[in-house]
Amino acid sequence: MDLRQLRYFVQIAESGNVSRAAEVLGVAQPSLSQQIRNLENELGAELLFRHARGVTPTEQGLTFYEHARRILHEVERAKDTVRSQATSPSGRISIGLPTSACRGLALPLHEETAKVLPNITLHIVEAMSGTLDEWIQAGRLDVALLYDHKAFEHVAWTEMMIEDLMLIMPSGHPIACQDQIGFRDVFRLPLPLVLPGRPNILRVVIEQLAARHEVTPTAIDCESLPAIAELVRSKKYAAIMPHFALSAEIARGEMVAIPIVDPTPSWRLSVVVSQRTLNGRGSEGVAKVLASVIGELVENNSWRAKLKNNGKLHVIR
């Protein structure tokens, strides 16, 4: 059995006719029929049911068809991987971005990738950090930006920066004019507090910090960033979020971000590359672009965070 026979069989199964498949493949019909008979003899099974209108895969043929398609697909992916190593990185890279960062990162990331890696096509996936962590370990994502990432076997990563979480208040509220607010005072506000629910890492960070300082954090659960923004915009709720997540609303004067002190809740952000990626050069190239974009946003104060390693990507394997 060889790849040529697999291609022949897949084309016949999809065409439903040997002569039509022969035309598509540019192979003489008798030769094509002989290759399929050889394949059936080797497998000891009849793969095609011959009838007046053409051919139809048997039950065993359908099973073999699924395997053959998968094998041919993996062979093509392997070719793409080798070609990408021989030339400039190319191909489709899936990158996971957490909800709180996706809005602010999507445009500059696309623009910088198009400039630096013109043969790379980005596929951006937005989800909670925990979900992204699971997907990158499983190889469903090539690259991801994760909060408070823990080391795992199947990823390479670098810690990029530390970001403080802030109290987000509707503009015009008396507390909105404060320069800072104590952590305990956040949970004594006259407005209800809205936070993402567990297992969202932001909620985990707040609750762990509260437990260490004997504070009971009460809040309404909401998993949607647009919904949190709308609740704060209504002037009936406050939130704890990173400044970057709602920077557009803050810039428009719809809400303000107040630093939280004594203590200050914060989290770490890491750029993570899956070691199960089939496009290593492309994935590492996109990871470097992501690190560069993040570094520039922090340096121009669009993203209020503290860079580590001067914003350079130092991959830990």
Side-chain angles (χ1 to χ4, degrees):
M1 185 189 305
D2 56 31
L3 290 176
R4 178 182 57 177
Q5 290 175 315
L6 297 185
R7 290 192 185 95
Y8 287 176
F9 174 73
V10 167
Q11 187 59 59
I12 292 172
E14 292 178 348
S15 299
N17 187 286
V18 176
S19 60
R20 192 178 304 128
E23 291 178 10
V24 173
L25 293 166
V27 178
Q29 183 174 335
S31 175
L32 186 58
S33 298
Q34 184 61 52
Q35 289 291 340
I36 298 304
R37 282 194 294 271
N38 292 344
L39 186 59
E40 289 178 320
N41 290 336
E42 181 178 348
L43 294 172
E46 187 175 11
L47 300 176
L48 298 170
F49 172 69
R50 281 85 173 171
H51 50 79
R53 297 184 305 277
V55 295
T56 303
T58 63
E59 183 176 349
Q60 292 168 308
L62 286 172
T63 300
F64 186 74
Y65 169 76
E66 293 299 328
H67 284 284
R69 276 190 60 202
R70 195 175 302 117
I71 291 168
L72 293 173
H73 177 67
E74 291 301 324
V75 168
E76 290 304 312
R77 291 184 70 183
K79 286 180 180 178
D80 289 343
T81 300
V82 174
R83 288 174 185 144
S84 72
Q85 293 174 347
T87 59
S88 61
S90 62
R92 184 173 181 266
I93 299 298
S94 294
I95 179 167
L97 299 176
T99 300
S100 61
C102 191
R103 284 199 307 174
L105 274 176
L107 179 59
L109 181 60
H110 264 297
E111 291 179 340
E112 188 66 13
T113 300
K115 183 169 63 176
V116 177
L117 301 169
N119 297 321
I120 289 289
T121 300
L122 283 184
H123 171 59
I124 291 181
V125 177
E126 178 185 350
M128 292 191 299
S129 190
T131 301
L132 297 177
D133 214 335
E134 292 175 8
W135 287 351
I136 200 161
Q137 290 177 59
R140 293 177 60 184
L141 293 172
D142 300 300
V143 181
L145 177 66
L146 301 178
Y147 294 110
D148 277 18
H149 168 73
K150 305 297 187 296
F152 288 100
E153 178 183 359
H154 301 297
V155 298
W157 59 283
T158 184
E159 191 172 298
M160 281 295 302
M161 62 185 183
I162 299 173
E163 181 180 33
D164 292 343
L165 301 177
M166 308 181 79
L167 175 64
I168 307 298
M169 292 289 295
S171 60
H173 192 280
I175 295 176
C177 63
Q178 293 185 194
D179 294 331
Q180 61 184 33
I181 186 170
F183 182 73
R184 286 181 173 80
D185 294 331
V186 169
F187 301 99
R188 301 170 185 153
L189 292 171
L191 296 180
L193 196 64
V194 58
L195 292 172
R198 276 182 173 268
N200 188 289
I201 190 64
L202 188 149
R203 185 61 167 263
V204 173
V205 167
I206 295 299
E207 289 186 351
Q208 289 178 345
L209 189 63
R212 290 198 298 269
H213 291 81
E214 300 180 347
V215 175
T216 303
T218 56
I220 297 168
D221 291 354
C222 183
E223 301 295 333
S224 166
L225 181 61
I228 290 175
E230 192 62 30
L231 288 169
V232 176
R233 196 182 290 115
S234 73
K235 299 184 182 297
K236 298 177 181 178
Y237 296 87
I240 298 177
M241 295 293 294
H243 179 281
F244 189 64
L246 296 166
S247 58
E249 288 82 357
I250 294 169
R252 291 195 297 266
E254 297 171 358
M255 52 193 75
V256 297
I258 304 172
I260 302 172
V261 297
D262 300 323
T264 298
S266 64
W267 53 15
R268 299 164 298 158
L269 287 86
S270 300
V271 174
V272 182
V273 180
S274 173
Q275 292 186 335
R276 289 177 170 172
T277 178
L278 292 177
N279 189 343
R281 290 188 68 226
S283 295
E284 291 206 7
V286 169
K288 290 178 180 177
V289 170
L290 176 59
S292 173
V293 169
I294 290 172
E296 186 172 341
L297 288 170
V298 173
E299 288 173 359
N300 66 26
N301 207 35
S302 297
W303 196 330
R304 298 187 182 181
K306 305 177 188 71
L307 288 175
K308 302 193 71 175
N309 303 315
N310 295 318
K312 302 298 182 183
L313 191 72
H314 299 291
V315 176
I316 301 171
R317 298 184 184 278

